Amino acid sequence: MARVKIDNYAVADAPRLGVRGWLRWIWRQVTSMRIALILLLLLALAAIPGSVLPQWPQQPGETKAFIDNNAVIGPVLDKLGFLDVFGSAWFTAIYVLLFASLIGCIIPRALAHYKAMRAPVPAVPSSLARYEPSGREETDVDAATAIERARKELRPRAGWLGALTGYRIRIDERAVKDGAVKTNDGKERRELAMTADMGHIRELGNLIFHISLVFVLIAVGAGTLLTYRGQAIIVEGRTFTNAAVAYDTFSNGSGFDPADLQPFTVKLDGLDAVFEDNGRPKEFTAHVTLQEPGEDAVQKDVQVNRPLQVDGAKMYLQGNGYAPVFTYTDGDGNVAFEGPVVFLPQDQVYTSTGVVKVPDVTSGEQIGLKGTLLPTEVTKPGGSVSIHPDPGNPVIYFTAYTGDLGLDDGVPQNAYQLDESELSPVRGDDGQPFVFGITLGDTVTLPDGLGTISFDALPRFAAMDLRADPSLPWLLAASISMLVGLAISLFATRRRMWLVAPMDTTTTVVEAAALAPSHDGGVEAALDRALAATSGRVPDADEEDE
């Protein structure tokens, strides 16, 4: 049995590909449409882990927790790049290969299409008898007028736009096929022959689709590099400054420097939250004052679907809740904490949880308070609950702790959770953990001389989400262009029509025929419109519509 080697070396006289030949073969494979489609599918599949698994750039805390909770598979996925998909070498390789493949497909096809557009339209065949559909039209105008009318019908736009979007036209004057036929004065009979071709439009749509796809990929890549996003919570009456350190969370692409952020300020003047009687949310409106550098302060309203436009970015109203204001006075009589604390809603009636951390007491151990806010408290057999999101009867239930809050260890903490590993619950006179409720305007004294805490006010907060992606307009334009190109390539058809009109006759009989694929259902109507235009007749389709 003969052995065939990959480079044909089993055949002594066969030409060798060599390094250059192999490189040419690899390039042809990479730039084939089949490989481009495979790479596009691989890119879509490769993006799936980036949306399913936590990613280091966007969710560092959740990613670390994922690795800690999955001691076997977590480190493996991290080393393979699945926890930073869009920055991994294998995703970049697919992305670059897809670019090379698409560009390698597009450039030769674009050059071939340009040459085809520059090439003359084929002349009318000598006989139209073998083509279907076909037709005849009698008109009392001369051949030149009849053919000109048909030309305007098939290509109403002049210039290059008409060539791109309509039929390409060729008109020839030629001798009648039967040369023995002469005119009355003995001259050779002549005729005008027109070819109308639109086979180039389908290929044009295909090129538009693939070029737009390249621009979509470029826009996505540019967006990944230049985008930035931040989330911040603003309490009523307080001001937020647009700086990376002021955000609760902030992420940006490698091509954007956070120092370039415009230092505008947003003050939350008030937040209107409207609920129905059953507690269902109806409308949220944040009233803010925007102050941009060098500009006058302006009042704006931000709603869920109406973001604030600022510095090329959009600031969305992502959520809202309550931020009760507390004053904690330690056992030595000094104010150790004063200000609002954000309580995060946990259900539809805004039952909210939050913590008060007091590290700077004058003496003794640090204080931690873990609380639950009930905006409209009622007492039921199972305990106290809130029945409505509005603050009809706000009560906060606290559990107090003493010990080390862990804030001096240099390890970042969740501002909305209390690390109880180094804390002990404060106990009451009965020896049980001290749990107390506090209403708006009240002051509660903690046991063991730990001080007092007062509930001073109940303002709302707005959770704002600022997003900036300069590539979005380009991405939208490229996506629309891609859909247009796809529609053209799917629905445009390859069609060619011919019209022949004899010259120097009393009655001009225009003969016509067309060549089109069997699935082209509009060719007969188009041919009839062209024939009708030669005589000024209303096309049959229009007559039926009337």
Side-chain angles (χ1 to χ4, degrees):
M1 182 176 179
R3 295 176 60 190
V4 179
K5 296 183 179 180
I6 194 170
D7 204 13
N8 294 328
Y9 289 111
V11 181
D13 297 331
R16 272 53 170 172
L17 286 176
V19 175
R20 185 175 180 181
W22 275 110
L23 291 176
R24 185 184 294 111
W25 180 85
I26 292 172
W27 175 249
R28 287 178 179 175
Q29 298 305 310
V30 170
T31 57
S32 66
M33 188 57 63
R34 180 181 67 257
I35 296 299
L37 293 175
I38 292 174
L39 289 171
L40 188 61
L41 178 62
L42 283 177
L43 188 71
L45 293 175
I48 293 177
S51 59
V52 175
L53 298 173
Q55 302 292 295
W56 280 113
Q58 290 81 28
Q59 304 163 303
E62 295 183 16
T63 306
K64 185 178 184 305
F66 176 82
I67 296 175
D68 294 339
N69 296 333
N70 299 271
V72 178
I73 192 65
V76 174
L77 292 176
D78 189 25
K79 289 182 179 180
L80 293 177
F82 284 93
L83 302 184
D84 186 10
V85 169
F86 305 110
S88 63
W90 51 268
F91 187 87
T92 303
I94 297 174
Y95 203 81
V96 172
L97 279 175
L98 180 58
F99 263 109
S101 181
L102 287 174
I103 294 174
C105 291
I106 290 170
I107 292 177
R109 293 181 65 174
L111 293 175
H113 183 63
Y114 175 75
K115 292 179 180 179
M117 288 285 293
R118 297 281 295 176
V121 177
V124 178
S126 57
S127 175
L128 303 181
R130 65 181 183 273
Y131 295 103
E132 289 292 338
S134 61
R136 296 165 59 92
E137 186 79 16
E138 291 188 6
T139 177
D140 54 2
V141 300
D142 59 84
T145 302
I147 293 297
E148 179 62 18
R149 288 177 177 179
R151 186 195 66 79
K152 290 183 178 180
E153 172 66 27
L154 295 176
R155 184 174 168 177
R157 298 184 182 90
W160 64 270
L161 184 60
L164 288 177
T165 60
Y167 290 85
R168 297 171 64 216
I169 304 294
R170 172 176 175 171
I171 300 176
D172 297 314
E173 181 181 335
R174 67 184 187 182
V176 177
K177 178 185 177 183
D178 189 354
V181 179
K182 306 290 184 179
T183 61
N184 294 333
D185 56 2
K187 294 182 179 180
E188 184 182 47
R189 289 190 179 274
R190 310 285 292 176
E191 63 184 6
L192 288 178
M194 183 181 80
T195 301
D197 180 79
M198 65 177 306
H200 61 289
I201 294 185
R202 190 184 187 95
E203 178 64 14
L204 178 64
N206 208 345
L207 286 173
I208 291 174
F209 171 78
H210 287 92
I211 293 173
S212 301
L213 180 58
V214 171
F215 278 101
V216 166
L217 295 175
I218 292 175
V220 171
T224 303
L225 292 174
L226 302 176
T227 188
Y228 62 91
R229 181 176 181 179
Q231 293 79 34
I233 289 179
I234 311 175
V235 180
E236 284 181 317
R238 302 211 167 210
T239 301
F240 165 80
T241 301
N242 186 40
V245 295
Y247 287 97
D248 297 320
T249 59
F250 184 83
S251 60
N252 60 281
S254 57
F256 178 80
D257 185 357
D260 295 334
L261 286 172
Q262 185 188 61
F264 64 83
T265 61
V266 175
K267 179 183 178 184
L268 182 60
D269 301 319
L271 192 144
D272 295 335
V274 181
F275 300 92
E276 296 180 356
D277 293 339
N278 59 3
R280 181 177 300 175
K282 189 175 182 180
E283 181 181 345
F284 300 111
T285 303
H287 307 287
V288 301
T289 299
L290 173 64
Q291 176 70 67
E292 297 185 83
E295 302 289 339
D296 295 333
V298 293
Q299 277 72 40
K300 298 283 187 177
D301 289 342
V302 185
Q303 294 180 322
V304 175
N305 295 318
R306 291 175 53 193
L308 177 66
Q309 303 273 356
V310 55
D311 189 29
K314 293 183 178 180
M315 182 173 280
Y316 294 86
L317 177 59
Q318 194 76 9
N320 67 90
Y322 295 101
V325 178
F326 302 104
T327 300
Y328 178 82
T329 304
D330 62 24
D332 296 323
N334 299 316
V335 175
F337 178 89
E338 184 177 19
V341 176
V342 173
F343 275 56
L344 300 179
Q346 303 298 314
D347 55 27
Q348 293 183 347
V349 292
Y350 279 50
T351 301
S352 306
T353 60
V355 296
V356 180
K357 301 179 182 181
V358 188
D360 300 323
V361 293
T362 304
S363 61
E365 295 182 305
Q366 297 176 339
I367 305 296
L369 300 166
K370 185 166 64 174
T372 299
L373 167 65
L374 305 177
T376 302
E377 187 214 27
V378 296
T379 302
K380 293 187 175 182
S384 296
V385 296
S386 179
I387 60 172
H388 198 275
D390 282 333
N393 180 32
V395 178
I396 302 176
Y397 287 93
F398 275 117
T399 301
Y401 297 84
T402 59
D404 184 6
L405 295 173
L407 299 176
D408 301 326
D409 299 337
V411 179
Q413 279 193 8
N414 190 328
Y416 310 109
Q417 294 180 356
L418 195 65
D419 182 5
E420 302 178 27
S421 59
E422 300 294 331
L423 297 175
S424 301
V426 176
R427 300 187 180 275
D429 296 337
D430 56 359
Q432 298 298 317
F434 183 64
V435 179
F436 63 95
I438 184 171
T439 59
L440 185 60
D442 281 352
T443 299
V444 173
T445 301
L446 302 181
D448 301 330
L450 294 176
T452 63
I453 183 170
S454 61
F455 182 5
D456 303 325
L458 189 61
R460 292 182 180 271
F461 72 82
M464 310 299 285
D465 185 2
L466 183 136
R467 308 176 193 177
D469 189 347
S471 68
L472 288 180
W474 301 99
L475 181 60
L476 176 62
S479 300
I480 293 175
S481 177
M482 188 171 67
L483 291 176
V484 170
L486 181 62
I488 292 174
S489 64
L490 290 177
F491 299 110
T493 184
R494 301 180 184 276
R495 181 187 298 168
R496 186 173 294 169
M497 293 192 292
W498 303 285
L499 283 84
V500 178
M503 303 173 67
D504 300 326
T505 58
T506 304
T507 301
T508 303
V509 179
V510 182
E511 294 185 357
L515 177 65
S518 58
H519 62 266
D520 186 358
V523 63
E524 293 188 18
L527 187 66
D528 184 62
R529 286 195 299 271
L531 283 172
T534 61
S535 63
R537 172 177 61 85
V538 177
D540 294 339
D542 294 344
E543 291 176 351
E544 292 177 3
D545 293 340
E546 292 176 359

